Amino acid sequence: MAKILIADDESKLRRLVCDFLRRSGHTPVEASTGREVLDIFNSDEKIDLYLLDIMIPEVDGWELCRQIRKTSSVPIILLTARSAEYDQIMGFDAGADDYVTKPFSLAVLMKRIDVLLKRSASGKVRTDKDIISLDGLLINNDAHQVTIDGQPIELTLKEYNILEKLISSRGRVYTREQLLDDIWGYDYVGDTRNVDSHVARLRGKLGVWGSNHLKTIYGIGYKIEVN
């Protein structure tokens, strides 16, 4: 089963989550500060999923997400008592895959963990650095070509870059602002409606595949969903 890190400065909560993880067949790893999380992340220990409290001491959960996302697409769930929409958007911007508000049901948390672990393990997304594939769609970065069931799909450069960005981290939500910065560049002066129009055209060109996999997360952004 999976090795899951739970990072929270509340020892009672950590123990409860750890006990539940063990009963579910997983191996928990505990951390009480953000610095401990980074030390574990930078070590040789392989963690399959991170549960990070946003307000953890030394290095907060948002910054931990940013640091982890620089080199890893490992699933991340943020745990927090902060339920405002702004806080959730900040979490997704930082690279979190999911957001759980305290107090929470351990059974529901376990279900969210299972979904992310299955997503992370499913789909033959990368075969090498130049080939990305998922459910009949193939991106050949070397040839800069996209095909679905062997049929070529004509995309503009921006559409291609959006698709490659989303499918490389399937299941992860990218905000409109994040896509605008990553695809258009930080010095771009347009607004997020440009992202929406490009994604709409991209979904249309991808046909049934786009309807099934390219999902809008209303009020936040977009993701590639593995069915």
Side-chain angles (χ1 to χ4, degrees):
M1 298 298 282
K3 182 177 286 189
I4 297 172
L5 184 143
I6 166 70
D8 199 298
D9 59 338
E10 297 180 43
S11 59
K12 182 178 179 181
L13 177 62
R14 287 202 315 273
R15 286 196 301 271
L16 286 172
V17 173
C18 285
D19 288 345
F20 203 83
L21 289 172
R22 289 189 188 95
R23 289 199 298 272
S24 300
H26 299 297
T27 301
V29 177
E30 295 185 57
S32 59
T33 70
R35 180 58 53 192
E36 288 180 41
V37 175
L38 289 179
D39 287 343
I40 293 170
F41 176 71
N42 291 320
S43 71
D44 293 330
E45 186 167 7
K46 181 182 180 295
I47 302 296
D48 297 298
L49 184 143
Y50 286 81
L51 299 170
L52 305 177
D53 176 42
I54 283 183
M55 302 311 294
I56 195 168
E58 296 184 9
V59 184
D60 65 42
W62 291 312
E63 182 59 25
L64 289 173
C65 277
R66 295 186 193 100
Q67 293 298 320
I68 291 170
R69 281 290 172 257
K70 286 180 179 179
T71 58
S72 175
S73 59
V74 64
I76 299 173
I77 298 177
L78 289 179
L79 306 175
T80 179
R82 304 168 67 119
S83 59
E85 181 181 90
Y86 172 76
D87 294 311
Q88 296 185 46
I89 290 174
M90 277 190 64
F92 288 123
D93 264 340
D97 297 284
D98 206 348
Y99 192 102
V100 176
T101 304
K102 300 175 182 178
F104 51 80
S105 158
L106 288 170
V108 171
L109 175 64
M110 195 64 246
K111 182 58 66 176
R112 289 174 180 265
I113 289 171
D114 286 343
V115 167
L116 283 178
L117 289 174
K118 286 176 183 176
R119 252 184 222 161
S120 181
S122 69
K124 303 151 193 149
V125 171
R126 280 192 181 271
T127 57
D128 59 49
K129 67 179 181 179
D130 294 321
I131 301 294
I132 304 172
S133 64
L134 177 64
D135 196 17
L137 181 142
L138 184 144
I139 299 176
N140 186 328
N141 281 319
D142 189 45
H144 210 269
Q145 184 181 56
V146 176
T147 60
I148 297 178
D149 296 328
Q151 298 301 310
I153 308 296
E154 296 298 327
L155 302 179
T156 67
L157 179 59
K158 289 290 192 293
E159 291 164 355
Y160 182 95
N161 289 340
I162 290 170
L163 177 61
E164 197 276 339
K165 181 85 176 172
L166 293 175
I167 202 172
S168 293
S169 299
R170 69 201 186 285
R172 175 182 169 186
V173 178
Y174 281 90
T175 65
R176 292 168 174 84
E177 292 78 8
Q178 196 167 27
L179 289 172
L180 200 64
D181 288 343
D182 291 348
I183 305 300
W184 278 263
Y186 289 98
D187 56 351
Y188 179 72
V189 294
D191 61 33
T192 57
R193 285 176 296 182
N194 204 10
V195 176
D196 295 334
S197 62
H198 276 75
V199 171
R201 287 195 295 271
L202 172 61
R203 185 184 285 117
K205 290 181 179 181
L206 297 175
V208 174
W209 194 99
S211 299
N212 288 339
H213 295 287
L214 180 46
K215 300 299 184 179
T216 300
I217 309 302
Y218 292 100
I220 299 175
Y222 301 96
K223 71 174 181 176
I224 293 293
E225 186 173 274
V226 179
N227 295 327

